[in-house]
Amino acid sequence: MASSNHTTGVDNTFRKKIDTEAYLERAREREKKEADRSKSRSKGPPVQRAPLKHRDYHVDLESRLGKTQVVTPVAPLSQQAGYFCRVCDCVVKDSANYLDHINGKKHQRALGMSMRVERSSLEQVQERFEVLKKRKTPGTFTEQDLDERIQKQQEEEEELKRQRREKKKEKKKGKVMEEEPEMDPEVAEMMGFGGFGSSKKS
C-alpha cells in the first residue's frame, strides 16, 4: 500500500482581497460629510435659554395613590399606568422617577430653561426674608406649649392602652363562655361528666 502525502495546491480564493484605494476613498467621503455637518451646526447663534425658576404649581403625586387601574397596551400614553409628562410626551412608572424627570435637563430644556440659576441680589434676598416672616404664624413657641403637648399625648396613649385592655378582657370572657357550653345535667351524667370528685353509691 502506497500512501500519497503530497498536496497539489491550496485553494485560497475564499480569502478576502483588501482594496485599499476603495477604503481610502470612503474615509475621505465620511470626513467630508462630518465637516459639512459641523459647519451646518455652527451657522446659527447659540440658543439663549431662561434661567431656572421655581414651580408655580403643585406637583400632584398622591391623587392616584392606592388606586387600581386596568393597563392595556393600546391605550394612549396619557392613560397608561404611571405619571404622564405632557411637555415631553412620555410616561414614567413611579413618583421618584417622575420627580427626577421634571427636575432633569431634558424636561427643563423642553420648557425653555437652562440648568443655571439666576444670581440673586441683596434686595431680592431681603424681600424674600420679609415675605417668609409675614407668612410665619404669629406667636412664639414656648416650653409651656411643649409641656402641654407632651402631657396631652401621654393622656391619649394611656386612654388607648386602657381601651385595649378592656377589649382583651371582653374577648377572654367571650372565649370562656364559648368553652363552657350549658349541657343538660342528665345528658352530662350519662356521658360520664357528672363529676370527678364525687361518687354516688347505689
XYZ file of all heavy atoms in Angstrom, residues 1-2 10 37 40 53-54 83 88 90 95 104-105 123 130 144 155 157-158 167:
162
model
N 0.837 -1.173 0.000
C 0.000 0.000 0.000
C 0.872 1.223 0.000
O 1.664 1.421 0.891
C -0.847 0.010 1.231
C -2.028 -0.877 1.044
S -3.329 -0.604 1.948
C -3.676 -0.295 3.252
N 0.642 1.976 -0.983
C 1.424 3.213 -1.105
C 0.544 4.376 -0.688
O -0.611 4.454 -1.058
C 1.887 3.390 -2.539
N -3.149 24.651 -2.721
C -4.115 25.104 -1.715
C -5.018 26.132 -2.369
O -4.540 27.061 -3.031
C -3.388 25.707 -0.498
C -4.395 26.212 0.520
C -2.457 24.697 0.120
N -21.452 68.657 8.236
C -22.409 68.616 9.336
C -22.009 69.575 10.461
O -22.846 70.278 11.022
C -22.516 67.190 9.873
C -23.844 66.900 10.525
C -23.981 65.472 10.996
N -23.741 64.513 9.940
C -23.184 63.319 10.120
N -22.800 62.945 11.310
N -23.002 62.496 9.110
N -22.751 73.150 9.402
C -24.177 73.497 9.428
C -24.664 73.728 10.857
O -25.555 74.540 11.097
C -25.006 72.401 8.754
O -24.906 71.208 9.490
N -36.391 78.579 37.199
C -37.324 79.259 38.103
C -38.030 78.203 38.937
O -38.168 77.055 38.510
C -38.376 80.032 37.297
C -37.824 81.218 36.546
C -38.935 81.907 35.817
C -38.716 81.728 34.332
N -39.764 82.260 33.507
N -38.493 78.610 40.123
C -39.212 77.635 40.944
C -40.610 77.427 40.362
O -41.151 78.288 39.672
C -39.281 78.088 42.407
C -40.138 79.282 42.638
N -39.700 80.566 42.417
C -41.413 79.392 43.053
C -40.671 81.419 42.686
N -41.728 80.730 43.068
N -46.941 58.047 35.577
C -47.083 59.506 35.569
C -46.764 60.015 34.167
O -45.684 59.759 33.636
C -46.139 60.132 36.594
C -46.483 59.755 38.007
C -45.946 58.626 38.607
C -47.376 60.523 38.748
C -46.268 58.275 39.900
C -47.710 60.173 40.039
C -47.149 59.056 40.611
O -47.481 58.716 41.894
N -42.991 66.564 27.656
C -42.095 65.655 26.930
C -42.834 64.507 26.260
O -42.222 63.731 25.520
C -41.041 65.091 27.889
S -40.077 66.354 28.710
N -44.164 61.659 27.569
C -43.620 60.371 27.983
C -44.293 59.928 29.285
O -44.884 60.744 29.984
C -42.103 60.431 28.157
S -41.578 61.485 29.496
N -43.247 57.606 41.213
C -43.172 59.010 41.610
C -41.739 59.508 41.728
O -41.446 60.653 41.386
C -43.917 59.229 42.925
O -43.339 58.450 43.947
N -35.103 67.265 35.701
C -33.944 66.939 34.872
C -33.741 67.880 33.708
O -34.566 68.745 33.387
N -32.613 67.691 33.045
C -32.185 68.580 31.961
C -33.119 68.516 30.751
O -33.476 69.537 30.178
C -30.773 68.186 31.547
C -30.153 69.130 30.526
C -28.795 68.637 30.056
C -27.747 68.900 31.097
N -26.394 68.569 30.610
N -31.150 92.832 47.544
C -32.534 93.302 47.722
C -33.530 92.148 47.573
O -34.504 92.052 48.315
C -32.872 94.410 46.712
C -32.143 95.715 46.956
C -30.736 95.708 46.372
O -30.463 94.899 45.449
O -29.900 96.484 46.863
N -38.549 88.925 54.131
C -39.735 89.647 54.620
C -41.008 88.860 54.321
O -41.900 88.760 55.160
C -39.807 91.049 53.986
C -38.739 91.999 54.471
C -38.814 92.255 55.969
O -39.933 92.358 56.511
O -37.739 92.336 56.595
N -43.832 75.950 77.729
C -45.123 75.592 78.308
C -45.989 74.897 77.246
O -46.661 73.899 77.536
C -45.832 76.840 78.839
C -47.132 76.523 79.548
C -47.781 77.782 80.097
O -47.261 78.877 79.921
N -48.907 77.615 80.760
N -51.647 61.397 77.834
C -53.027 61.055 78.202
C -53.702 60.244 77.108
O -54.420 59.275 77.387
C -53.811 62.333 78.501
C -53.392 63.035 79.783
C -54.064 64.385 79.949
O -54.863 64.774 79.059
O -53.791 65.058 80.960
N -52.231 58.304 74.907
C -51.648 56.972 74.890
C -52.195 56.105 76.011
O -52.492 54.921 75.813
C -50.123 57.068 75.001
C -49.451 57.587 73.742
C -47.962 57.789 73.918
O -47.435 57.540 75.024
O -47.311 58.204 72.936
N -52.359 56.687 77.224
C -52.929 55.938 78.340
C -54.366 55.519 78.050
O -54.782 54.399 78.378
C -52.872 56.778 79.612
C -51.463 56.949 80.166
C -51.417 57.902 81.342
O -52.489 58.354 81.806
O -50.301 58.212 81.797
N -60.787 45.624 75.749
C -61.136 44.732 74.641
C -60.606 43.323 74.880
O -61.290 42.338 74.599
C -60.561 45.282 73.325
C -61.324 46.463 72.773
C -60.740 46.907 71.448
C -61.473 48.118 70.910
N -60.894 48.604 69.639
